[in-house]
């Protein structure tokens, strides 16, 4: 790869990482603000769906752009880290759901009497954070493995 192409790719990567940082900061404040507002005064369901839908679409757009900017090795790392993140998040959320079902059955003595189980918000939040941490650690591990191979 030529030096000019590498410099251009690095510049694009830096730019998309800055956009990602701004996205996370702004959306965090917006979502916390929306939930704070809704706790004081109920907001429309339409507002919730529009804000969260737009948030997810913007995040997807950033991830697609990140994938486009990366070279072949970077794309492979990106996909592997997303796989690990998905496995950690899905496994922990499934465990939380099973724990909720177990607790409901234990309390009621019969399966299926209370509908969906109660899953604590903090556990769901920690599960999602664990997925993000797993993604970061996987990226770090894969980058170090690639540096050793060179």
């Amino acid at each position: 790869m030529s030096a000019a192409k590498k410099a251009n790719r690095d510049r694009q990567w830096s730019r998309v990482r800055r956009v990602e940082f701004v996205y996370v900061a702004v959306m965090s404040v917006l979502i916390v603000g929306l939930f704070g507002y809704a706790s004081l005064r109920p907001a429309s369901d339409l507002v919730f769906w529009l804000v969260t839908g737009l948030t997810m679409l913007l995040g997807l757009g950033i991830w697609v752009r990140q994938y486009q900017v990366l070279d072949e090795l970077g794309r492979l790392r990106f996909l592997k880290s997303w796989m690990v993140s998905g496995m950690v998040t899905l496994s922990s959320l499934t465990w939380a759901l099973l724990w909720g079902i177990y607790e409901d059955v234990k309390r009621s003595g019969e399966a299926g009497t209370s509908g969906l189980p109660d899953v604590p918000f903090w556990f769901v939040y920690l599960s999602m954070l664990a997925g993000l941490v797993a993604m970061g650690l996987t990226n770090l591990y894969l980058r170090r493995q690639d540096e050793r191979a060179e």
Side-chain angles (χ1 to χ4, degrees):
M1 176 183 297
S2 71
K5 267 188 167 180
K6 184 172 176 20
N8 186 36
R9 189 189 73 226
D10 290 344
R11 207 172 23 259
Q12 287 176 335
W13 179 248
S14 295
R15 206 174 304 138
V16 79
R17 292 299 295 195
R18 278 193 296 270
V19 168
E20 180 187 26
F21 176 76
V22 169
Y23 163 79
V24 168
V26 169
M27 288 302 143
S28 297
V29 169
L30 185 64
I31 296 295
V32 167
L34 181 64
F35 277 99
Y37 177 78
S39 70
L40 299 174
R41 183 174 157 195
S44 164
D45 291 346
L46 179 63
V47 170
F48 171 80
W49 287 108
L50 286 174
V51 170
T52 55
L54 181 64
T55 300
M56 290 181 187
L57 285 174
L58 285 172
L60 178 64
I62 290 170
W63 294 324
V64 166
R65 183 63 185 146
Q66 285 177 338
Y67 185 79
Q68 290 171 344
V69 168
L70 292 170
D71 61 354
E72 189 174 329
L73 183 60
R75 286 179 179 176
L76 188 59
R77 271 197 309 254
F78 186 82
L79 292 175
K80 285 180 180 179
S81 67
W82 268 104
M83 181 198 65
V84 169
S85 174
M87 292 298 292
V88 168
T89 304
L90 182 64
S91 297
S92 58
L93 290 175
T94 301
W95 185 78
L97 183 63
L98 290 174
W99 178 257
I101 292 169
Y102 170 74
E103 287 293 314
D104 280 356
V105 168
K106 194 167 76 171
R107 269 187 298 235
S108 68
E110 300 176 18
T113 58
S114 64
L116 291 175
D118 294 329
V119 178
F121 172 78
W122 62 267
F123 193 85
V124 173
Y125 183 72
L126 289 176
S127 296
M128 291 184 195
L129 283 180
L132 289 174
V133 169
M135 179 192 301
L137 291 175
T138 302
N139 272 323
L140 182 63
Y141 172 78
L142 292 173
R143 197 172 304 125
R144 287 188 177 168
Q145 290 295 102
D146 293 340
E147 288 171 1
R148 285 185 189 161
E150 289 177 359

